[in-house]
Amino acid sequence: MNDNPSPQKGLGDSEHLKALGYENSFHRSMGLWANFALGFTYLSPLVGVYSLFALALSTGGPPSIFWLIIVGTGQLLVALVFGEVVSQYPIAGGIYPWTRRLWGKRYAWMAAWVYVWAMIVTITAVAEFGTGFLASLINAPVTNEVTLGLSVLFLVVAFGLNFSGTKTLGRVARIGLAAELVGVVGLGLYLLIFQRKQEFSVFFDTMGVQGDGSYVAAFLGAALAGLFLFYGFEACGDVAEEVENPARGIPRAMILTILVGGVSALFSFGGYVLAAPDLQAIVTGKDIDPIPAILDASLGTVGAKIFLVVALTAFLSCVLSLQAAASRLLFSFARDGMIPGHAWLSRVSPRTAVPVNALIVACTIPLLLCLLIYVGGSTLLARITAFAVIGIYVAFQAVVLAALRQRLKGWRPAGPFNLGRFGFVVNVVALAYGIFAMVLLARPGATGVFLDDWIVLIGLAVVMGTGLLYLFIAKPHSASHQPEGDAIAVAAMLRAHPDNARSTSDTD
């Protein structure tokens, strides 16, 4: 039961935004399903499972599938916290405005700095990984030049679709959602029912991955199977000012993203395991790219080609959603005058109502990173993307920690989506989960090569170190005068708003 009074139907989207200190800059043309599709295609279980399947099995064996349940549950708690925050603050940009209003502008600057670099690197990585599917479809050799050219194609096409407006973004996201569901749920069920070569008990068989040591260590090493998969739901909040009734709809879209994404990933991962013709070769690491062989054996040549088209649609939708989320974060950052070139970056196209200059940046920097990877080789891709996931988790937990801090000071979230008396417990457990996840991600490797073993922490240290230096030397926050740390005051103001008061009295 919700024991806190909260805004009801009376406070409209524009009035809610105006009460928070902003005017409408976008077209509210995105409904619940388009918003959910945006988050789902960013999370992209097809991309995540394909990228991590071989690594998870060779590290933790078939039981590594249980990380999907563990991480999915933890991230659902984080999504519930985010839902309460975005319901009170339905502002474009997500992580940045939430941390600013929950804590302060310097704290928000660092959270956004880490998050935007993590997203930009992730855009680069997804575009690079998608080139393998496109090369296979057109029978192109996988050379460095082909990879660079196809990566650029992914980025430019996604930019063009994003540039055309929010309606196009929503349409393509829904197409991507359908492709994802066919590619993960449909294919997963087909493999489970018609192509099963293993017994279900295999998910409790370690198949000797622990060697002479403890399986606990091997299982913890396979945590990446879930940790690399379950984010993207926050993108639903990045476009809050383009969504109809965001205070109610976005929390639902976030929860749907986690639940549907988790079930889809389980079907996909489980289907590949049960349909693998030589599971032992995957577990021992002899087969480092097993999914194409599983698809060929299960679907035939034509079926595998059809799956490539579905997968390409999912990859393109993922890049599209990532670009959209990154551009809205940059726009929100710039609108408050927090970064160099803020006047240029905060410009919104009068024709398409999208932050076109922020979109240009969200496409150009990944293009430059692709060129850098072309020069430095595929090893560089692994190194520069290693910090991305821990960077995203750090940014997520910055919101969770800031929300808990405000609760301890007396904040009762005032949005329509409200956990009531359970909010504090959910917030504490979400923070504990986040700390546990970051410890797993930060654990050094055991290759004996210093850079490879410590690359996650090195990458995070470089990004946070440069951010802190810029923050204290240039003081980008000093010229920004938008509200900060006002969660308690805003909650009281929203509850006292005349429209809310009338709506509440009408329902008494």
Side-chain angles (χ1 to χ4, degrees), residues 30-40 170 173-174 177 243 249 253 256 260:
M30 185 175 284
L32 171 64
W33 291 108
N35 190 235
F36 158 59
L38 177 71
F40 188 86
R174 286 193 293 269
L177 170 63
V243 177
L256 274 174
V260 179

Side-chain angles (χ1 to χ4, degrees), residues 359-429:
L359 266 173
I360 290 172
V361 172
C363 180
T364 302
I365 297 180
L367 284 172
L368 294 174
L369 289 175
C370 286
L371 185 59
L372 188 64
I373 292 165
Y374 169 73
V375 174
S378 58
T379 304
L380 184 60
L381 172 63
R383 287 175 175 169
I384 68 171
T385 58
F387 98 95
V389 174
I390 195 170
I392 286 172
Y393 273 78
V394 166
F396 278 21
Q397 291 307 307
V399 178
V400 176
L401 176 61
L404 182 59
R405 176 176 176 265
Q406 285 292 338
R407 288 184 196 277
L408 292 172
K409 294 170 69 174
W411 177 50
R412 291 183 302 144
F417 179 83
N418 198 310
L419 299 176
R421 68 185 67 180
F422 301 105
F424 182 82
V425 174
V426 170
N427 205 152
V428 170
V429 179

Side-chain angles (χ1 to χ4, degrees), residues 402-490:
L404 182 59
R405 176 176 176 265
Q406 285 292 338
R407 288 184 196 277
L408 292 172
K409 294 170 69 174
W411 177 50
R412 291 183 302 144
F417 179 83
N418 198 310
L419 299 176
R421 68 185 67 180
F422 301 105
F424 182 82
V425 174
V426 170
N427 205 152
V428 170
V429 179
L431 182 63
Y433 156 77
I435 293 170
F436 169 68
M438 288 188 290
V439 169
L440 289 177
L441 286 167
R443 290 193 318 156
T447 66
V449 179
F450 177 81
L451 187 60
D452 291 339
D453 289 345
W454 293 89
I455 189 62
V456 172
L457 288 178
I458 291 171
L460 184 63
V462 168
V463 170
M464 294 191 72
T466 54
L468 283 169
L469 280 174
Y470 184 80
L471 179 63
F472 286 106
I473 292 172
K475 295 181 172 55
H477 61 284
S478 60
S480 176
H481 303 293
Q482 291 294 332
E484 58 177 319
D486 61 355
I488 295 173
V490 166

Side-chain angles (χ1 to χ4, degrees), residues 32 35 83 86 90 98 233 236-241 243-255:
L32 171 64
N35 190 235
V86 73
W98 301 342
F233 60 89
C236 301
D238 288 329
V239 295
E241 293 175 40
V243 177
E244 299 170 358
N245 198 6
R248 295 178 183 277
I250 290 175
R252 297 173 187 171
M254 288 181 173
I255 293 167

